[in-house]
Amino acid sequence: MIATGLIKFYLPGNTFQVGSKKSRFLDRMLLKRMLMSVMKNSPGLYILLCLLIMACSKKNSPANGTPPAVIVPPIVVAADTSLYKMVPFPMGAAVAINLVKNNAKYSGIVTKEFNSITAENAMKFSGLHPAENTFFWTDADYLVAYAQTNNKRLHGHTLNWYQSMPTWVTNFSGDSTAWEKMLKTHIQTVVAHFKGKVAAWDVVNEYFNDNGTVRNSLWVQKLGEDYIARCFQYANQADPDVLLFYNDYGHEYSTAKRTAITNMIASFKTRGIPIHGIGLQFHLSVGQPDANISAAIASAAATGLQVHISELDIRLNANKAQTFPFTTTMASQQAAKYEHVVKAYKSILAAQQYGITTWNVTDADSWIPNWQGAPDYPLPFDANYQRKEAYRGIVRGAK
Ligand code: GLA
């Protein structure tokens, strides 16, 4: 019988409407039996019913390929809890200027939970230097003001990289002297502009390949492999007080790469090239063994330099599944991995702990889903700006 758009069924002892709340509690067997009987007696009504049930259940399930926003309840902590207050070293996040400016939930987390910030893009070459004779300071200066007002350390990222080069650089047609002048001008103008405002610079980012050889970047092609040493010298000339870091990924999975990095640092020391820190990006997969993470941190610490875990995130979707809901199991595996990173980091000398920075702030703004072309949940805050189990993992690791 059909009544007000809903289908009512009467069975001995039971009355329910398909799609109504009550129906969701009915015994599946009962529904099956009832459908069988409709199928026998009225095939047309049976098809109609199936379509209706499918439509109702679709309403409650995620859209194709889109996982539900949150299926793991956020963790509850005291209202005045802050991540940076619970760890014994600076705790940072890489931030997008437009979100700091325009998204109150996002900036609320940054202000409350972190005491160090890195510009996600605003201080990269293409962000600061869009044309040969034009520097664009507005966004980065906004971040400087935000950091000063809110008492945050600002970490500079990055003076030289093989990516994020504006087209005027990739099309630059000078000889090696002109290239050298262009590199030096960029580094020294930027470092001078932020003198006294940033604590440190990632001077060169990702100079090495995973096998430990030097990446054949445009900079290396134009200026030779030793241009990296000159980058550090130019930065040091422009601000002798700012700390200078070499930043890279893969320390955890490539011993060849980390050996190349530690050899370069040793050679810098011998030659008197200024360098103060080493950045381990740590874009980790949850399957990365703890031993590899510990070995990477220990090898960086053995250089005697400051160690920055500079771009931490822990992704879960190794197979790049297009439908990938976050589960409580994943939440605790991810939390355990965050805990291990913090524990291993905490075991190095306090004087070498420059801090840990997550790359982005929440799962809603992480770069990982775009990069891997599949959903993921790599950060300690979920897409609804709530703390995840990973947050608790960080706090546990710091104890
Ligand atoms: C690298 C860079 C960062 C950022 C991330 C992800 O790790 O160092 O600046 O671009 O990739 O986007």
Side-chain angles (χ1 to χ4, degrees):
M1 147 185 206
I2 298 181
T4 56
L6 290 173
I7 300 177
K8 276 196 176 182
F9 289 100
Y10 298 98
L11 285 170
N14 292 286
T15 303
F16 72 96
Q17 294 173 326
V18 173
S20 74
K21 250 189 186 171
K22 198 174 173 191
S23 74
R24 282 176 228 137
F25 297 104
L26 260 194
D27 186 331
R28 277 169 180 260
M29 287 305 293
L30 193 62
L31 183 63
K32 208 169 151 193
R33 267 174 36 217
M34 183 204 66
L35 282 172
M36 298 281 280
S37 110
V38 176
M39 183 171 70
K40 265 195 210 147
N41 301 325
S42 169
L45 181 60
Y46 174 75
I47 291 169
L48 187 70
L49 267 177
C50 288
L51 288 174
L52 231 161
I53 289 169
M54 275 164 62
C56 290
S57 63
K58 244 189 190 164
K59 231 176 36 191
N60 296 325
S61 64
N64 276 352
T66 314
V70 177
I71 65 161
V72 177
I75 66 162
V76 178
V77 295
D80 61 348
T81 304
S82 274
L83 207 47
Y84 77 85
K85 289 184 188 155
M86 308 221 279
V87 300
F89 42 76
M91 191 71 212
V95 300
I97 312 292
N98 68 322
L99 294 176
V100 175
K101 273 188 188 164
N102 302 317
N103 182 328
K105 282 186 183 167
Y106 178 98
S107 61
I109 290 183
V110 177
T111 308
K112 183 178 169 63
E113 303 280 356
F114 299 97
N115 59 351
S116 177
I117 47 177
T118 302
E120 182 183 15
N121 292 311
M123 293 187 175
K124 289 175 177 166
F125 203 129
S126 55
L128 288 177
H129 199 167
E132 188 166 359
N133 298 312
T134 310
F135 283 86
F136 174 75
W137 306 115
T138 314
D139 282 354
D141 283 352
Y142 179 89
L143 209 58
V144 168
Y146 171 86
Q148 287 172 348
T149 308
N150 294 288
N151 206 19
K152 311 290 179 207
R153 179 182 72 184
L154 187 55
H155 179 77
H157 174 84
T158 174
L159 296 172
N160 180 270
W161 189 22
Y162 77 99
Q163 286 188 32
S164 189
M165 291 196 278
T167 45
W168 75 266
V169 173
T170 46
N171 294 337
F172 193 74
S173 62
D175 59 9
S176 62
T177 310
W179 270 87
E180 188 76 27
K181 183 164 173 271
M182 181 252 279
L183 172 75
K184 182 176 178 184
T185 302
H186 176 78
I187 291 177
Q188 297 203 323
T189 308
V190 171
V191 173
H193 181 87
F194 295 105
K195 190 169 167 20
K197 295 170 180 163
V198 303
W201 276 105
D202 289 335
V203 179
V204 177
N205 198 33
E206 302 176 353
Y207 171 77
F208 289 106
N209 294 309
D210 281 355
N211 65 6
T213 58
V214 172
R215 189 189 295 281
N216 186 27
S217 69
L218 198 53
W219 300 108
V220 168
Q221 288 166 29
K222 300 293 178 187
L223 298 168
E225 291 189 0
D226 203 40
Y227 93 94
I228 188 170
R230 300 196 295 281
C231 289
F232 280 81
Q233 289 172 316
Y234 294 150
N236 182 250
Q237 287 160 12
D239 181 359
D241 296 326
V242 76
L243 298 175
L244 304 178
F245 280 67
Y246 173 72
N247 192 52
D248 212 332
Y249 63 87
H251 305 248
E252 68 283 8
Y253 61 75
S254 170
T255 34
K257 194 171 196 173
R258 71 175 181 250
T259 304
I261 293 169
T262 48
N263 286 345
M264 178 188 73
I265 290 167
S267 128
F268 273 20
K269 284 185 181 168
T270 313
R271 295 167 60 199
I273 308 293
I275 182 163
H276 311 102
I278 176 166
L280 282 60
Q281 293 185 5
F282 270 18
H283 294 294
L284 302 177
S285 159
V286 75
Q288 188 60 244
D290 288 352
N292 288 0
I293 291 168
S294 300
I297 292 173
S299 131
T303 63
L305 300 185
Q306 299 269 301
V307 179
H308 184 198
I309 294 183
S310 54
E311 305 189 14
L312 180 62
D313 44 32
I314 303 182
R315 59 188 183 276
L316 302 163
N317 190 356
N319 296 327
K320 303 185 186 358
Q322 293 303 307
T323 301
F324 191 71
F326 189 52
T327 64
T328 46
T329 308
M330 288 179 206
S332 53
Q333 285 169 346
Q334 185 182 52
K337 203 53 69 179
Y338 269 101
E339 180 179 349
H340 180 76
V341 170
V342 173
K343 216 171 244 160
Y345 185 69
K346 230 194 99 199
S347 73
I348 69 174
L349 283 180
Q352 287 180 272
Q353 295 172 12
Y354 179 81
I356 294 185
T357 297
T358 61
W359 200 256
N360 305 120
V361 179
T362 78
D363 289 342
D365 52 278
S366 167
W367 72 293
I368 294 283
N370 266 346
W371 170 70
Q372 72 181 3
D376 217 313
Y377 313 89
L379 290 163
F381 296 88
D382 70 22
N384 289 333
Y385 301 88
Q386 302 298 311
R387 297 173 176 104
K388 291 162 58 184
E389 192 57 32
Y391 183 103
R392 220 169 358 219
I394 294 174
V395 174
R396 274 200 305 267
K399 283 205 173 117

